[in-house]
């Protein structure tokens, strides 16, 4: 009983941090700290913490904490309760046709699984109220304990965003050694302040399933 009560209080605490009415007041727009809680499932939460350094290249690193529980309140040990992450990114070009590059990495010390990815993004101003963005990424996953790596996977996405309503329509597809996966997902995203709400259909052509996300990002 005590475990259930503790789990429920912990889940409620993380949920309050993610969507609570006071969360935007704690976070500023600029600063060296990264704080990004998110709800990844019905009873699953994730909190990304880190430090950022600005300059010609922006570098950031930190840890990601995960927690999951069943409806009764019992905590389920996640596969990656603590995950280390890091990234280096750079942006350039005019706002009408901006470009950015990014290299990211992550490591799970419990299982030895790590991943490295690199990507580029281009953004255009289509109309005064509509922006378009195209992203291309390549990623590979390895296990340092078992000393093997999976085949790299290439993903690309396209997004149309309304600057007036903060609403976006996103489409994503992928390519791996197995072949072209076709349409991986299609969905809608809505920004409300620092909150980002999402609803998508994954694998809509073969085995469609719905996905809902709620994220909060803050810098201070």
């Amino acid at each position: 009983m005590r475990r259930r009560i503790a789990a429920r209080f912990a889940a409620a605490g993380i949920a309050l941090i993610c969507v609570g009415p006071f969360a935007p007041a704690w976070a500023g727009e600029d600063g060296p700290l990264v704080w990004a809680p998110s709800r990844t499932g019905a009873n699953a939460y994730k909190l990304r913490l880190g430090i950022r350094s600005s300059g010609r290249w922006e570098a950031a690193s930190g840890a990601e904490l995960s927690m999951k529980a069943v409806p009764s309140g019992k905590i389920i040990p996640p596969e990656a309760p603590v995950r280390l992450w890091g990234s280096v990114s750079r942006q350039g070009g005019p706002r009408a046709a901006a470009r950015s590059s990014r290299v990211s990495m992550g490591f799970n010390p419990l299982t030895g699984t790590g991943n490295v990815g690199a990507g580029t993004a281009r953004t255009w101003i289509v109309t005064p109220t509509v922006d378009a963005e195209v992203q291309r990424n390549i990623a590979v996953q390895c296990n340092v304990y078992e000393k093997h790596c999976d085949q790299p996977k290439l993903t690309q996405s396209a997004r149309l965003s309304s600057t007036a309503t903060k609403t976006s329509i996103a489409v994503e597809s992928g390519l791996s050694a197995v072949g072209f996966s076709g349409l991986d997902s299609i969905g809608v995203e809505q920004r409300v302040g620092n909150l980002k709400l999402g609803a998508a259909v994954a694998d809509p052509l073969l085995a469609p399933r719905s996905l809902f996300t709620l994220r909060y990002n803050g810098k201070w």
Side-chain angles (χ1 to χ4, degrees), residues 49 56 92 129 159 178 208:
L49 301 170
R56 186 174 182 183
T129 59
R159 178 179 281 100
V178 179

Side-chain angles (χ1 to χ4, degrees), residues 3 14-15 20 36 42 46 48 72 74 85 92 95 117 124 126 139 142 144 146 149 160 169 175 195 212 214:
R3 288 183 179 179
I14 296 179
K46 181 171 63 177
R48 171 172 284 205
S72 64
K74 182 180 179 181
W85 64 272
R95 183 179 179 276
W124 298 271
V126 181
C142 300
V144 296
E146 299 177 2
C149 294
L160 283 177
I169 299 176
L175 177 65
L195 285 176
F212 299 95
L214 171 62

Side-chain angles (χ1 to χ4, degrees), residues 149-174:
C149 294
D150 296 335
Q151 294 291 335
K153 182 178 181 180
L154 175 67
T155 59
Q156 57 182 2
S157 63
R159 178 179 281 100
L160 283 177
S161 304
S162 169
T163 57
T165 63
K166 306 297 183 181
T167 305
S168 302
I169 299 176
V171 179
E172 183 175 320
S173 62

Side-chain angles (χ1 to χ4, degrees), residues 27-134:
E29 292 298 326
D30 299 303
L33 300 181
V34 178
W35 181 66
S38 61
R39 183 180 182 183
T40 58
N43 295 289
Y45 300 89
K46 181 171 63 177
L47 176 61
R48 171 172 284 205
L49 301 170
I51 300 176
R52 177 190 299 103
S53 63
S54 301
R56 186 174 182 183
W57 288 83
E58 182 179 281
S61 62
E64 198 171 77
L65 311 178
S66 300
M67 189 188 75
K68 186 177 182 181
V70 297
S72 64
K74 182 180 179 181
I75 294 179
I76 303 174
E79 295 181 359
V82 179
R83 180 175 174 271
L84 307 178
W85 64 272
S87 66
V88 178
S89 60
R90 180 184 180 184
Q91 296 184 351
R95 183 179 179 276
R99 297 183 179 183
S100 63
S101 302
R102 181 183 179 89
V103 177
S104 61
M105 59 204 73
F107 179 67
N108 179 0
L110 182 63
T111 62
T113 303
N115 61 278
V116 178
T120 61
R122 296 186 64 184
T123 305
W124 298 271
I125 297 178
V126 181
T127 70
T129 59
V130 176
D131 291 346
E133 181 185 57
V134 174

